[in-house]
Amino acid sequence: MAHLCGLCLALRGDHGQFARLVTNYDGLLISVLTEAQLDGADGRRRTAGPCPLRGMRTASVARGEGARLAAAVSLVLASAKVRDHIADGDGLLARRPVASAARRVAVNWGRAGARTGSDVGFDTAVLVAAVDRQPEIEALAGPGTPVLTVTEPTETATAAAFAHTALLAGRPGNAEPLAEAGRLFGRLAHLLDAVEDRDADAASGAWNPLTATGTSLTEARRLADDALHGIRLALREVRWGSSGIFPEGRGAEVRGVDAKLAHALLVHELGRSVHRAFGTSACAHPAEGAFGPPPAGPGGTQSPYIGGNPYGTPGGGHSPEPPRPGRGFWAGCAAALGLCCTCQVCCADEFESPWSRRKREGCCNNCDCDCGCCDSCECCECCSCCDCSL
């Protein structure tokens, strides 16, 4: 919450109240990674005044260049997303007056992100170029096209943002492994969105990378698990600050609040996201290799999904709710404001995403895999179940 509020306040401080709409969970990873590489904690927190989104409570929030870099990236990507919705004519944006107003907002956000990026030494042109390249790649993609060709722009953008955190923290040697972690994070985010939207896209006739390239769910799961493993390996090469130290060996203790948070987000939460998307359940750490052996389906056949169904056993497991139609941009903004004002984003066990209407867990919901980084655990003692040094 300190990083989420820090990102929100950095947006407000540099660009005004309206810019706070682009606050997002993915963006706060930039702030988390920057702090985890710093030595000492002095000057990295400040006490923010009461806020309606926190129930009029004060809070210790993140500050500094990490939060500003996160703000720059969030603004540029939000600008691109609005432009994409305008091009697709989604919801109210199909109306010319609304689209015209939204286009001006997108332009302003893009310029604001470029200014803040320049202030922290980050050239946002790489993000803009990646976003602009995406429609061209999607237009050329077809059956037989590797799905990783489609995810490349997202990978490039996230790699650049992750790598720059090393320069902000004064650890240029970390740039290469963090770029690799960012590249794989972008790949994973793109794949999971494609998996979660697959049925809804098929019903609405929208473009989906898995359907367009003929990529099976089995292959998508393999790529997702491989990306998870690659992120863990890349983070092992990062030199963290004195207040954020990942363990170096089997059974070592994870020390430092920032290191624990980065571990929880980039190892546990990513693992849980994969299992939610594919309808499976397991510890975030694989039992063997890059990913453990898939459970056996009927007749002893090996499948990464029970019975070959990515959403559970046809005769007894759970099945997903029918996909609900998503909200338009402005309706989603109104829903997001309502969620924040009622503290559902923080405190609810489960709430409905304002735009996609998918089920989400509140950010203060209890962690269900408490291995060494979260306290003590039954499923893996300090991440030693897989000899993982994270």
Side-chain angles (χ1 to χ4, degrees):
M1 287 302 295
H3 288 281
L4 188 66
C5 290
L7 169 57
C8 181
L9 293 175
L11 287 163
R12 186 200 66 180
D14 286 346
H15 309 293
Q17 294 283 359
F18 189 66
R20 300 170 82 176
L21 286 173
V22 308
T23 304
N24 64 92
Y25 289 108
D26 289 342
L28 67 84
L29 278 174
I30 303 297
S31 180
V32 170
L33 286 173
T34 302
E35 281 204 356
Q37 297 173 76
L38 294 172
D39 289 321
D42 293 340
R44 288 165 27 192
R45 290 283 189 273
R46 72 177 179 88
T47 300
C51 174
L53 304 184
R54 293 192 299 268
M56 298 307 296
R57 293 176 299 217
T58 61
S60 176
V61 302
R63 63 183 300 181
E65 293 187 328
R68 297 192 71 201
L69 175 60
V73 171
S74 297
L75 281 165
V76 172
L77 296 182
S79 171
K81 188 167 187 177
V82 172
R83 293 200 311 269
D84 185 54
H85 282 304
I86 293 172
D88 293 340
D90 292 337
L92 291 175
L93 295 177
R95 300 180 180 180
R96 186 171 299 177
V98 178
S100 178
R103 190 174 291 108
R104 287 197 295 272
V105 170
V107 169
N108 290 337
W109 280 350
R111 290 173 179 170
R115 288 196 304 271
T116 300
S118 179
D119 290 344
V120 296
F122 181 64
D123 185 2
T124 58
V126 65
L127 304 183
V128 175
V131 169
D132 290 344
R133 194 165 62 252
Q134 187 73 51
E136 300 173 6
I137 293 175
E138 291 180 358
L140 296 174
T145 301
V147 71
L148 297 187
T149 300
V150 180
T151 64
E152 179 274 323
T154 308
E155 295 178 22
T156 300
T158 51
F162 273 44
H164 197 70
T165 65
L167 303 182
L168 291 182
R171 296 183 181 273
N174 287 344
E176 185 175 346
L178 283 176
E180 176 67 5
R183 183 179 67 82
L184 295 172
F185 177 82
R187 175 185 299 180
L188 192 57
H190 203 135
L191 286 172
L192 294 186
D193 278 345
V195 171
E196 291 176 342
D197 296 342
R198 188 168 173 262
D199 291 339
D201 288 343
S204 65
W207 194 91
N208 183 284
L210 300 182
T211 304
T213 60
T215 303
S216 66
L217 286 174
T218 303
E219 175 64 8
R221 179 59 189 265
R222 186 190 69 80
L223 291 171
D225 284 338
D226 190 57
L228 278 176
H229 184 60
I231 289 171
R232 284 191 284 268
L233 293 178
L235 292 177
R236 291 184 189 181
E237 306 301 319
V238 176
R239 186 180 174 193
W240 304 98
S242 60
S243 66
I245 303 174
F246 279 83
E248 292 296 332
R250 186 182 182 93
E253 180 185 3
V254 181
R255 293 182 286 126
V257 171
D258 298 321
K260 288 182 178 180
L261 180 57
H263 179 93
L265 294 175
L266 288 171
V267 176
H268 291 275
E269 287 305 315
L270 279 183
R272 292 175 65 194
S273 295
V274 170
H275 294 303
R276 278 197 299 266
F278 288 95
T280 59
S281 178
C283 176
H285 294 290
E288 53 184 85
F291 41 93
T301 58
Q302 291 294 319
S303 168
Y305 325 108
I306 300 174
N309 180 354
Y311 298 104
T313 306
H318 74 282
S319 60
E321 297 180 5
R324 297 184 180 183
R327 295 187 179 95
F329 176 75
W330 297 111
C333 290
L337 185 61
L339 287 171
C340 292
C341 289
T342 56
C343 295
Q344 292 183 61
V345 173
C346 308
C347 305
D349 291 335
E350 193 177 70
F351 65 93
E352 193 177 80
S353 175
W355 284 278
S356 68
R357 304 191 71 176
R358 292 195 294 267
K359 295 296 184 182
R360 304 291 189 193
E361 292 181 354
C363 56
C364 295
N365 195 30
N366 291 331
C367 173
D368 65 354
C369 181
D370 25 34
C371 56
C373 68
C374 307
D375 276 314
S376 72
C377 176
E378 299 177 357
C379 69
C380 45
E381 296 181 1
C382 207
C383 309
S384 61
C385 63
C386 59
D387 196 19
C388 171
S389 70
L390 292 181

